Amino acid sequence: MGKNDRKRPHAQYAHDIEQDESSSNLFGVAATLAFIQNPDRPLDEPITESSKRDIHSDGWETVERRSKMRKKRHPRRKTEKENEEEPSENGKPKSKGNRPALTYAELHQLQSCIRISDLQGLVLYCLADGTSPQWISVSHHGHVKKAVVLMVPGLEKDLFNGEIRLLEVVGGGDVDRPPPTPGNGTDASTKKAEFNQDARNGIDDTEHSYRGSNRSPDDYLPIALVSDNLPTPLKPLAGVFGHVWPVKAPGDDKYYKVHSPLHAMLTAPIPKSQEEKREDKRIKGAKPAREGKYWENKRTPITTFIASDEELLENEYTLHPACFATQQEKDRELARRRNAKQDKDHGWKDALVDQLEDGDVPEAEIQKGSLTMGRTVVAMDCEMCKVEGGEMALTRISIIGWDGTVTMDELVKPDTPIVDYLTPYSGITAAKLEPVTTTLSDIQSRLLTLLTPQTIIIGHSLNADLTALRITHPFIIDTSIIYQHPRGPPLKSSLKWLAQKYLSREIQKGHGTMGHDSIEDAQACLDLVKMKCERGIKWGTTEATGESIFKRLSRASHSGPSTTSADSYKIGAIIDHGAPERNFGAMASFCIGCTNDEEVVDGVKAAVLGDEDGAIIPGGGVDFTWARLRELESLRGWSNDNRHPVSKPDSTHSSTITTSTPAPSQSSPVLAATLSRTTQHVLSIHASLPPCTLFIVYSGTGDPRDMSRLQEMQRRFREEFKTKKWDELSVRWTDVEEQALRRACAKARMGVGLICVT
């Protein structure tokens, strides 16, 4: 055909055909093709003008090549009638006009569970300056007037799909309702075989019943609520909500931790400007800490950051005797230290502090505005090497004062032969220690003189340093504790990373080659604590990069006209058991403390609608309300303060820990009755809400009991493994328990959520 896609002229082609037909009775190629395409067409029918191809004036015709790319298929635009008939998230047809509505469609193509932060983002999108959610469609979001978020711990997916069978009280007797047929094709015999296999492995069925996360779309896609498929206590919810959403709580899959679902909902991230986002992309390593647009420095005395006894224990410190109030507790700790070879017979010393009150300085001796509160503050860092037996021994100690002067910098020769100097990290070599005569005992004597009851020690992960020094002190500030890891404990940030992020300083440049400089590390710890005192207790925590959702909403203005400047911004309320104003309610406009769920329901109604006389809550109510129902949580043993204590193990060796008091039976009539009351509370709140109100119900977490039990088992194993042989352990931790904890953590992180707009 040639490069120009040109053929011979049609006139010449027709002339050639005529010549062929006059010389032969055979069909031509064109006639044959025409006959194949249309067999009913007479063979002698002439070709009409309409069937001719596009011919140019010069007698040449153009052949258009079809593109190999497929045309993009655009979805058909729905008619107005179809939009009106399409059900919204509450299962009812969409209303006409500009009323807001939530719609879930499979076109969203969810690939994982939504998170509590997604629910928070939905609230901020409807009431403030949040971005549009990608997991659900919100029409006319600007017309949402209020939002009510209700946390109901104790709800879980197994209650909705029938995995937990409820005994319902009917006519004075208990009736066992059979669960609905599983929709994923797994029959009861298969599940029973799996449970039996779990029993043979020595782990409870409940630990293995949650087979990982996101293994199939059923694990993260919302499930339509159908009244006939729900247990009786939950049937009324189908008339209000359209779907039950699997909602994942924040946590750490590596260390099997579940983070606070309250913090995930009530602490909003501070929005970054485009310039800040571009700057973060250019910076390699730790991003510099920013105060945020609304950050306020609050000078805080250094005594605020002294680690508590619980924090010291969690970070493997050996407690000073002054930390114990009674003589019985001191004797028990002394026995533990004797078994762990941490007593005086093994070279350990305790700082000369009789009681914690000895560290207090009289107010008359404290200079006004002093950050140290009259205390003596020193920063310490040590270098160690490995000696025979695998222990770490002290080789260098550096101490600097509050003003940065070096108080002590000594090399120490261990009493036990050294097997590894750890030069790439410690910087210690055999040549440096050759002329040294200072011993650990000499350093301990000097420290007992230096560490008075009013002395505070600063350092990074000081538990290792104090263990090498074989000394205890009650007043410690650990920068790895007060500067939280971005993903939370038990993870810890390195001192190098903290110095780069908060001090814009490069330290430990000889890491892996020439070793660290202990004076440089001690100075970095001291400067980090000074910055913490100047900026405030929230500096260096997740709250420094986030803010209360109540504060975020207080900057959002109402769309309609307001009578006063105070009415132009949105306000919020928190209703919870106890005293909510102490924690997350500190930034809320109104806090209502309750003693039971009935009071919580009344408090929500008062917050949303306002008092009739406006005595406490102004007429019209607040814009955002957060509340929590706790009756179901308490019954099922999900709350932290209601978990059953772990019984002491007997003399027999066991790989599991059982509770002294069994948790309430999941199939008991009490559970069904409590669940029914909780459902009625939810419906009562929904019925009181004004139109155009976003209503969210979420559980926060899944069932945490198995995870808590296994975590306690792991903690006890680690504690005993330090001082006992394998055959002497009361509990044993193997890969079986490790995998069981992994599954239990995944189950504990998987909660549920219900969403609708009134």
Side-chain angles (χ1 to χ4, degrees):
M1 294 176 61
K3 295 182 179 180
N4 297 326
D5 295 339
R6 307 184 72 182
K7 294 183 178 180
R8 53 181 172 170
H10 183 75
Q12 180 64 34
Y13 174 78
H15 175 73
D16 295 342
I17 291 297
E18 292 177 358
Q19 292 295 330
D20 293 340
E21 290 179 350
S22 62
S23 61
S24 174
N25 292 329
L26 298 176
F27 295 120
V29 177
T32 303
L33 292 176
F35 178 76
I36 293 174
Q37 295 176 356
N38 189 6
D40 298 334
R41 179 177 177 272
L43 297 178
D44 55 351
E45 180 180 344
I47 300 176
T48 62
E49 290 295 330
S50 61
S51 64
K52 293 182 179 180
R53 300 182 180 181
D54 185 17
I55 302 175
H56 294 279
S57 59
D58 58 356
W60 292 89
E61 72 172 313
T62 302
V63 179
E64 296 181 358
R65 292 182 180 273
R66 292 185 177 181
S67 175
K68 295 182 179 180
M69 296 181 62
R70 294 183 178 181
K71 292 184 178 181
K72 186 176 180 180
R73 298 182 62 184
H74 297 278
R76 181 179 64 86
R77 186 181 298 274
K78 295 183 180 180
T79 63
E80 183 178 356
K81 182 177 180 181
E82 289 175 335
N83 283 326
E84 293 175 1
E85 294 177 352
E86 182 181 359
S88 61
E89 186 57 29
N90 60 2
K92 300 178 182 179
K94 288 184 178 179
S95 59
K96 299 180 181 180
N98 295 332
R99 294 192 62 177
L102 303 175
T103 306
Y104 166 74
E106 295 185 0
L107 294 177
H108 290 88
Q109 297 180 350
L110 290 176
Q111 300 297 326
S112 61
C113 279
I114 66 171
R115 302 174 182 269
I116 297 179
S117 57
D118 294 323
L119 299 179
Q120 180 199 76
L122 177 61
V123 174
L124 295 176
Y125 177 63
C126 294
L127 297 184
D129 55 351
T131 58
S132 175
Q134 302 298 314
W135 52 278
I136 196 170
S137 297
V138 186
S139 59
H140 308 296
H141 73 280
H143 293 269
V144 174
K145 304 301 181 183
K146 299 175 181 290
V148 175
V149 178
L150 184 64
M151 183 176 175
V152 187
L155 289 178
E156 59 178 317
K157 186 178 179 181
D158 289 347
L159 288 173
F160 290 87
N161 61 19
E163 291 293 332
I164 297 179
R165 305 178 66 176
L166 299 175
L167 287 177
E168 303 165 15
V169 181
V170 179
D174 297 340
V175 178
D176 188 3
R177 301 292 187 187
T181 304
N184 56 2
T186 305
D187 56 8
S189 60
T190 304
K191 287 184 175 292
K192 184 176 181 180
E194 294 176 352
F195 291 164
N196 290 338
Q197 181 64 32
D198 295 337
R200 287 193 293 270
N201 291 337
I203 305 297
D204 294 343
D205 295 345
T206 53
E207 298 171 6
H208 285 249
S209 59
Y210 187 79
R211 302 288 177 181
S213 60
N214 298 353
R215 293 190 60 182
S216 70
D218 293 336
D219 294 328
Y220 56 82
L221 292 179
I223 303 173
L225 288 181
V226 181
S227 179
D228 295 339
N229 295 338
L230 295 175
T232 302
L234 297 176
K235 286 182 181 294
L237 296 178
V240 176
F241 303 98
H243 297 83
V244 55
W245 292 77
V247 181
K248 194 171 186 179
D252 193 299
D253 292 331
K254 182 178 180 181
Y255 292 93
Y256 313 126
K257 296 289 185 179
V258 178
H259 299 163
S260 171
L262 280 75
H263 184 275
M265 175 60 73
L266 298 178
T267 302
I270 298 177
K272 292 183 179 180
S273 63
Q274 293 296 331
E275 183 180 352
E276 291 175 339
K277 293 179 181 179
R278 287 192 295 267
E279 184 180 354
D280 288 345
K281 290 182 179 180
R282 291 194 300 265
I283 298 175
K284 295 182 179 180
K287 305 296 186 296
R290 298 187 180 93
E291 298 88 347
K293 185 177 180 180
Y294 303 97
W295 174 264
E296 295 180 1
N297 291 335
K298 295 182 179 179
R299 286 172 58 89
T300 307
I302 195 172
T303 53
T304 307
F305 306 111
I306 296 177
S308 64
D309 296 346
E310 292 76 12
E311 290 175 330
L312 294 176
L313 287 175
E314 289 177 359
N315 291 274
E316 300 180 349
Y317 281 85
T318 300
L319 295 185
H320 189 276
C323 297
F324 300 93
T326 64
Q327 187 61 40
Q328 184 180 4
E329 293 176 345
K330 293 181 180 180
D331 294 341
R332 189 185 303 114
E333 174 64 12
L334 180 61
R336 189 204 64 79
R337 289 179 60 178
R338 188 180 296 111
N339 293 333
K341 299 180 180 180
Q342 296 176 343
D343 58 342
K344 295 181 180 180
D345 295 338
H346 294 86
W348 279 72
K349 306 291 184 181
D350 299 322
L352 303 178
V353 182
D354 295 331
Q355 54 185 358
L356 298 180
E357 290 74 12
D358 294 341
D360 297 335
V361 179
E363 293 186 6
E365 300 178 10
I366 301 176
Q367 186 179 0
K368 185 177 181 180
S370 173
L371 293 176
T372 61
M373 299 295 291
R375 308 287 286 267
T376 302
V377 181
V378 297
M380 181 174 66
D381 187 73
C382 299
E383 303 295 343
M384 283 81 74
C385 64
K386 185 178 293 186
V387 297
E388 290 183 356
E391 295 183 356
M392 304 298 292
L394 180 71
T395 53
R396 182 184 179 184
I397 178 174
S398 300
I399 298 178
I400 61 176
W402 179 256
D403 57 356
T405 58
V406 178
T407 304
M408 180 187 300
D409 186 22
E410 294 283 348
L411 293 175
V412 183
K413 177 171 288 187
D415 298 331
T416 309
I418 299 174
V419 297
D420 190 349
Y421 285 90
L422 302 176
T423 304
Y425 311 102
S426 65
I428 303 298
T429 61
K432 290 183 177 181
L433 291 182
E434 182 66 27
V436 176
T437 58
T438 304
T439 63
L440 176 62
S441 178
D442 299 331
I443 297 298
Q444 288 178 331
S445 300
R446 294 177 61 180
L447 285 177
L448 291 178
T449 304
L450 178 65
L451 301 179
T452 66
Q454 296 181 352
T455 303
I456 299 175
I457 307 178
I458 297 175
H460 189 79
S461 296
L462 272 176
N463 57 309
D465 300 55
L466 294 177
T467 300
L469 287 166
R470 296 184 182 180
I471 201 166
T472 65
H473 189 68
F475 305 114
I476 295 172
I477 297 178
D478 193 333
T479 51
S480 69
I481 297 177
I482 63 176
Y483 283 89
Q484 300 175 357
H485 190 278
R487 289 189 291 168
L491 301 179
K492 293 183 178 181
S493 300
S494 66
L495 182 61
K496 179 181 179 67
W497 187 86
L498 292 176
Q500 183 180 3
K501 182 176 181 65
Y502 296 102
L503 303 176
S504 299
R505 183 186 306 172
E506 291 289 340
I507 65 172
Q508 301 178 357
K509 295 182 180 180
H511 181 80
T513 55
M514 301 175 58
H516 301 174
D517 184 351
S518 53
I519 294 180
E520 180 186 53
D521 292 351
Q523 185 66 53
C525 293
L526 179 64
D527 292 341
L528 285 170
V529 174
K530 287 183 177 180
M531 177 175 285
K532 189 88 169 180
C533 292
E534 292 290 345
R535 298 297 182 90
I537 192 172
K538 294 183 179 180
W539 179 255
T541 66
T542 54
E543 296 185 33
T545 57
E547 61 181 344
S548 171
I549 190 174
F550 299 104
K551 187 175 182 180
R552 176 85 170 266
L553 291 172
S554 66
R555 299 196 301 269
S557 58
H558 292 101
S559 57
S562 58
T563 57
T564 62
S565 59
D567 295 336
S568 61
Y569 297 100
K570 297 182 178 180
I571 57 178
I574 182 170
I575 299 95
D576 197 6
H577 292 236
E581 65 275 2
R582 297 179 180 176
N583 300 311
F584 294 98
M587 298 300 297
S589 301
F590 304 97
C591 298
I592 302 177
C594 307
T595 58
N596 53 57
D597 285 358
E598 287 75 12
E599 294 183 4
V600 172
V601 174
D602 295 337
V604 172
K605 294 179 181 179
V608 174
L609 303 177
D611 296 331
E612 296 180 358
D613 54 357
I616 300 178
I617 300 178
V622 301
D623 303 284
F624 173 72
T625 304
W626 185 92
R628 175 166 53 170
L629 302 178
R630 308 202 66 175
E631 183 181 2
L632 183 62
E633 173 192 24
S634 178
L635 175 73
R636 303 193 68 189
W638 285 25
S639 58
N640 293 330
D641 52 350
N642 287 331
R643 287 175 187 162
H644 301 283
V646 179
S647 61
K648 295 182 180 180
D650 53 14
S651 58
T652 59
H653 302 307
S654 173
S655 62
T656 60
I657 294 180
T658 58
T659 57
S660 58
T661 305
S665 174
Q666 291 186 337
S667 60
S668 66
V670 179
L671 176 60
T674 304
L675 187 60
S676 180
R677 286 195 301 272
T678 302
T679 301
Q680 293 303 318
H681 291 328
V682 174
L683 296 178
S684 178
I685 292 175
H686 176 267
S688 65
L689 299 179
C692 302
T693 299
L694 175 65
F695 187 33
I696 298 177
V697 178
Y698 77 110
S699 63
T701 65
D703 191 342
R705 291 173 294 182
D706 288 332
M707 181 189 69
S708 300
R709 180 176 58 83
L710 289 168
Q711 286 175 342
E712 172 62 22
M713 178 179 173
Q714 184 186 50
R715 185 198 64 78
R716 180 173 294 176
F717 167 78
R718 289 176 175 176
E719 182 179 339
E720 294 184 1
F721 189 73
K722 297 177 182 179
T723 58
K724 296 182 180 180
K725 297 181 179 180
W726 180 262
D727 295 337
E728 299 174 350
L729 298 176
S730 61
V731 292
R732 298 175 182 176
W733 191 262
T734 64
D735 185 65
V736 176
E737 288 76 22
E738 185 78 12
Q739 296 305 318
L741 178 57
R742 178 183 64 83
R743 285 186 289 268
C745 179
K747 179 179 179 180
R749 292 186 62 186
M750 193 56 60
V752 295
L754 304 165
I755 315 168
C756 73
V757 174
T758 58

